[in-house]
Amino acid sequence: MAKIDILVIGGGIVGLTAAIAAAREGARVTVIDAAINAGSTANAGSLHVQMQSRFIRLYPEQAPNVEASLPLYLEAVKEWERLDAELGPFELVRKGGLMLAESQEQMAFLEKKAARERQRGLTVELLDRPALDRLAPWLGAQIVGAELCRDEGKLNPLVANVKLRQRAVALGVEFGIDRAVELVSRSAVTVLCASGARYVADRVILAAAWGVGELVKGLGLHLPVNAEPLHMNITEAGAGQINHLVQHAERTITLKQFGSGQIVIGGGWAAQSRGNVQVPAVLADSMLGNVALAARLVPAIGHLRVIRTWAGMNTTLDGMSLLGAVPGVERVIMAIPGDAGYTLGPLCGRTAACLALAHTPSIDVERLSARRFSA
């Protein structure tokens, strides 16, 4: 077997961008992935920056960590813009994100949230209905106002994933389909796979998101990784008019329009988990509820047909990204994005490659290390 400098476990957005960054530096890189298409390949393409109301409601104990990480999201979107200019285009549009309110109580929630976000460097403002009409006249009559985060955007993940993989292949990165089941770290790292295959590498980057928890148990680290199965839909093409990423102050939804005119509707409706070796199953109630809410918020899309619906896995940890070596096992680098993993993915991937190559990353990773779980 040829010597591997860096073995990347996980071929999603983090693994791809880590592999590209390492290969550019001359490293011999191999990526192995279970190929169950449940993470990045199921993503809907939102570039999140502001705190998602859904996350605040469902994981209030983790919200302070997300809030403290907001400057990282700003850097992450800049990283996407850099990749888009170099390897795209990915249909990246950064005209801001709207979080809608249907009551004065919801507007009050957005006002408090916006004040906290400004303190972290985000560009946000509150819009009343007349201001919103000038920006997004296609919204339903019941919307009383919104928070506009000018830092947010959207892209087409199908295009981005293909172009990034093409770049990795052009750089000599090798890919294999397999599922890592055990890590043994000595002078090099040995990775045993479900197929019986065995890889030996100088460094390993763990970019398998919700699969990382099982892999590091044998190295003495216990991570509170949670796999959250979520639902998404895409419609046939409609007239192009929605330039913003659309969310809601209280209801679970994201909504955006691709350059093709198709509307992608998602945002956190539940899917049914089928374990860690199968894609989650779609739930009819989630599909119906998700698209009904979208049509309520944007009546002009109510006549469009849903042409595909699917499910994927979101990964939650503690609201912060996890970047750095397994404590006591410096050859194994973990790279798990915090909430909104696709947004944070390229920044986390490049940072993980820097750490694996013993370079100094552009962001401070001390607060993001695994030592917070190994005390």
Side-chain angles (χ1 to χ4, degrees):
M1 179 182 293
K3 182 179 183 296
I4 300 172
D5 294 322
I6 297 177
L7 177 68
V8 180
I9 299 176
I13 189 61
V14 178
L16 274 177
T17 51
I20 289 169
R24 276 179 174 153
E25 296 294 317
R28 288 164 291 193
V29 183
T30 295
V31 177
I32 59 172
D33 185 79
I36 57 173
N37 300 326
S40 295
T41 47
N43 195 269
S46 301
L47 293 181
H48 290 287
V49 178
Q50 66 178 308
M51 291 186 289
Q52 297 182 65
S53 61
R54 169 185 173 274
F55 195 91
I56 295 171
R57 294 194 313 274
L58 294 181
Y59 306 103
E61 73 286 356
Q62 298 180 23
N65 282 344
V66 174
E67 184 174 350
S69 299
L70 290 179
L72 198 65
Y73 288 82
L74 292 173
E75 290 301 314
V77 177
K78 292 176 185 176
E79 181 72 8
W80 266 115
E81 289 182 322
R82 185 188 66 77
L83 283 175
D84 183 69
E86 180 184 353
L87 304 177
F90 306 144
E91 298 181 21
L92 191 154
V93 177
R94 195 180 178 191
K95 294 190 176 181
L98 291 170
M99 188 168 286
L100 309 179
E102 297 183 87
S103 69
Q104 293 306 318
E105 289 78 14
Q106 291 172 9
M107 283 298 296
F109 163 79
L110 292 178
E111 183 175 5
K112 292 178 181 178
K113 184 172 80 76
R116 292 157 60 187
E117 290 164 341
R118 288 190 193 99
Q119 292 180 346
R120 299 289 181 173
L122 275 60
T123 304
V124 296
E125 59 187 284
L126 296 176
L127 305 177
D128 59 16
R129 183 64 204 220
L132 200 52
D133 280 337
R134 292 189 290 273
L135 192 67
W138 31 266
L139 289 169
Q142 80 282 6
I143 306 299
V144 301
E147 179 186 0
L148 171 63
C149 177
R150 295 191 179 275
D151 306 299
E152 291 192 310
K154 58 183 180 177
L155 56 81
N156 188 329
L158 298 180
V159 174
N161 293 342
V162 168
K163 290 193 174 185
L164 289 170
R165 185 175 175 117
Q166 289 173 339
R167 179 57 172 164
V169 170
L171 287 167
V173 175
E174 296 188 357
F175 288 84
I177 297 176
D178 215 330
R179 182 168 61 89
V181 295
E182 186 179 355
L183 304 179
V184 181
S185 179
R186 295 189 179 93
S187 58
V189 185
T190 300
V191 179
L192 305 178
C193 296
S195 68
R198 177 174 172 269
Y199 294 85
V200 179
D202 185 57
R203 296 284 190 277
V204 170
I205 294 176
L206 299 181
W210 44 275
V212 169
E214 288 298 317
L215 285 174
V216 298
K217 280 184 179 179
L219 301 177
L221 182 63
H222 296 272
L223 300 176
V225 176
N226 180 49
E228 183 184 28
L230 300 178
H231 177 96
M232 285 149 283
N233 314 275
I234 190 168
T235 73
E236 63 184 338
Q241 58 178 347
I242 303 173
N243 292 319
H244 300 86
L245 170 62
V246 178
Q247 301 179 78
H248 194 277
E250 196 170 278
R251 304 293 300 277
T252 297
I253 194 164
T254 60
L255 185 152
K256 69 191 75 68
Q257 189 166 28
F258 285 162
S260 63
Q262 294 171 288
I263 310 292
V264 183
I265 304 165
W269 289 70
Q272 181 179 355
S273 175
R274 296 192 292 182
N276 63 358
V277 294
Q278 293 187 74
V279 177
V282 168
L283 296 174
D285 286 350
S286 287
M287 176 188 175
L288 296 173
N290 198 198
V291 299
L293 176 57
R296 169 180 165 81
L297 299 178
V298 185
I301 70 172
H303 68 287
L304 297 177
R305 292 173 295 180
V306 174
I307 60 172
R308 185 163 68 93
T309 185
W310 71 99
M313 285 292 194
N314 183 52
T315 301
T316 63
L317 189 60
D318 65 346
M320 284 198 302
S321 298
L322 175 58
L323 289 168
V326 173
V329 189
E330 298 304 312
R331 293 179 180 272
V332 178
I333 309 297
M334 292 175 292
I336 306 176
D339 183 49
Y342 199 77
T343 301
L344 292 168
L347 182 61
C348 289
R350 181 167 59 82
T351 301
C354 284
L355 294 172
L357 294 167
H359 296 169
T360 301
S362 62
I363 61 173
D364 182 5
V365 298
E366 181 63 27
R367 189 176 62 88
L368 306 175
S369 78
R371 281 192 292 274
R372 67 188 192 266
F373 299 114
S374 61

